[in-house]
Amino acid sequence: MPDVSLRPINPATDMELLFEMHRDPVADQMAAFTAKDPDDRAAFDAHWERILSDENVINRAILCDGELAGSIANFEMFGQTNVAYGVHRALWGNGIASQALALFLDELDERPLYGRCAADNLGSLRVLQKCGFKEIGRERGYAEARGEEIEEIVLRLD
């Protein structure tokens, strides 16, 4: 089992890998609800500047065996606190996202928390379920990465 830990995002050292992950077409397709133009570095930088300066958002780097592997955060959407995470595609399937989410949940006192994923993103769905999130509904939303409306599963952790 890999050694997974979290630390604050370091803009000076983390952005290159996070941008690389952001631009991965396979990961974008899987996540579905992504940026309109994943290659737009200015929009990427502006997004990160905004969320890193938002005192209501907790952002963490996900480390695997001491190396940057992705990121995890909470954010407000539809009046609910949600969690979101991403792990470099080369590391998928190793339990890293599940371990990172479990560690992140230890930092967050607020409940309920919500998670959302494309209905066909079985990996992300499993991560949320392993950490105790339960499906509470399904919605349809426009997925930029797919250029169409798709089904999204909404989960809650009480």
Side-chain angles (χ1 to χ4, degrees):
M1 185 75 102
D3 178 34
V4 175
S5 59
L6 303 178
R7 66 158 167 76
I9 295 285
N10 182 337
T13 60
D14 297 341
M15 290 302 117
E16 289 307 315
L17 179 67
L18 295 178
F19 185 60
E20 175 189 319
M21 289 173 50
H22 177 76
R23 296 180 63 223
D24 181 327
V26 173
D28 269 4
Q29 182 74 13
M30 185 62 68
F33 299 98
T34 60
K36 186 172 187 170
D37 180 3
D39 293 322
D40 184 342
R41 181 61 189 250
F44 173 85
D45 288 341
H47 168 76
W48 274 99
E49 184 176 325
R50 182 179 51 77
I51 64 173
L52 288 172
S53 66
D54 186 336
E55 59 190 40
N56 296 313
V57 175
I58 299 170
N59 287 285
R60 296 289 181 258
I62 299 170
L63 304 179
C64 177
D65 297 328
E67 298 293 323
L68 182 63
S71 66
I72 191 164
N74 72 322
F75 64 97
E76 292 295 317
M77 186 169 71
F78 308 128
Q80 302 168 333
T81 301
N82 285 259
V83 295
Y85 45 84
V87 171
H88 196 287
R89 183 165 50 101
L91 300 171
W92 287 0
N94 292 302
I96 296 165
S98 297
Q99 288 182 65
L101 182 55
L103 290 169
F104 192 66
L105 293 174
D106 287 343
E107 287 189 43
L108 300 176
D109 294 328
E110 184 175 349
R111 298 291 187 272
L113 292 172
Y114 295 83
R116 296 168 169 267
C117 63
D120 60 355
N121 186 344
L122 301 181
S124 191
L125 177 61
R126 186 70 186 120
V127 167
L128 290 161
Q129 290 172 331
K130 283 166 102 176
C131 289
F133 286 78
K134 305 289 185 207
E135 183 176 338
I136 60 166
R138 292 179 180 236
E139 298 176 357
R140 295 199 61 79
Y142 186 77
E144 288 288 353
R146 300 183 189 183
E148 64 181 338
E149 191 175 279
I150 65 167
E151 186 174 44
E152 181 178 37
I153 300 175
V154 181
L155 301 100
R156 183 177 65 220
L157 176 67
D158 292 315

